[in-house]
Amino acid sequence: MPVVNKAIFLLVLSWVMSMNVFAAKQDIHPVTKSLCVAPETVLFSCQHKKKTYSLCGSAKLAAKTGYIQYRVGVKNSAKVILELEFPKTQILPQNIFKFELLTTAGSIAFNNDGYEYNLISDAKGFNVVSVEKNDREISHFECADTDTDANLAMTSIQKLLREASLGQ
């Protein structure tokens, strides 16, 4: 094989292999499993009864920059229908969300119009969504289809939330 053809072959081969590696990474953390959009960071995401529950953070989330939004919606191949987006605007999260590190889990709590939301992830990858109003449980479920790459118990997500001054 001539040198030029071999160089082109190797270049094409490396490009194809890099695409396969990229595809494999997408399978580990599929974008389709959350309501977050690029370049947001998926902090929490799971599915329950055909709905997706996602906590999305801006790409540059820190103490004085960025935002976090909780989104609930239905996602199909054609479009996303959001039922809830809190807060409505992308504002600093410090006075809205509270992160707490538990013994073997991480938790984010927030209040939206009198409803107390609590998103919990344990070290084994289980995600739970709990909603209360007037100290009465309205909804509590463990997600059947959890995005294990978006778990509040993960060290990388905990570090990001602490750097954003959201708690422990």
Side-chain angles (χ1 to χ4, degrees), residues 50-167:
K50 298 184 181 182
K51 290 186 184 179
T52 300
Y53 301 81
S54 297
L55 190 66
C56 308
S58 61
K60 294 183 179 181
L61 183 59
K64 295 182 180 182
T65 61
Y67 64 88
I68 291 177
Q69 282 187 315
Y70 176 67
R71 299 176 186 142
V72 178
V74 178
K75 187 173 187 175
N76 60 36
S77 59
K79 61 182 174 177
V80 173
I81 300 169
L82 285 180
E83 296 177 10
L84 173 66
E85 186 171 41
F86 177 80
K88 292 270 186 214
T89 58
Q90 298 175 343
I91 58 176
L92 290 173
Q94 286 80 4
N95 295 324
I96 300 168
F97 295 93
K98 183 181 183 230
F99 171 67
E100 186 175 358
L101 183 59
L102 308 169
T103 304
T104 60
S107 169
I108 286 267
F110 59 96
N111 183 305
N112 178 23
D113 199 27
Y115 290 88
E116 294 286 334
Y117 290 78
N118 202 354
L119 311 177
I120 305 165
S121 298
D122 74 8
K124 294 181 182 178
F126 295 107
N127 284 340
V128 173
V129 176
S130 178
V131 183
E132 294 182 1
K133 184 162 187 161
N134 300 324
D135 295 324
R136 191 172 140 237
E137 192 169 78
I138 304 295
S139 180
H140 181 95
F141 57 87
E142 182 180 317
C143 299
D145 188 8
T146 296
D147 187 340
T148 56
D149 281 357
N151 181 313
L152 298 170
M154 291 179 63
T155 305
S156 59
I157 291 178
Q158 291 173 7
K159 181 181 179 202
L160 184 64
L161 295 171
R162 282 192 306 272
E163 288 173 353
S165 301
L166 293 180

Side-chain angles (χ1 to χ4, degrees), residues 10-51:
L10 291 174
L11 182 64
V12 170
L13 180 62
S14 67
W15 178 77
V16 168
M17 291 183 72
S18 72
M19 294 307 290
N20 287 337
V21 169
F22 181 70
K25 286 181 182 175
Q26 292 260 345
D27 289 341
I28 292 169
H29 185 68
V31 175
T32 57
K33 286 196 172 191
S34 84
L35 297 172
C36 305
V37 295
E40 291 178 326
T41 300
V42 182
L43 303 170
F44 175 99
S45 191
C46 66
Q47 286 74 42
H48 180 72
K49 294 186 178 180
K50 298 184 181 182
K51 290 186 184 179

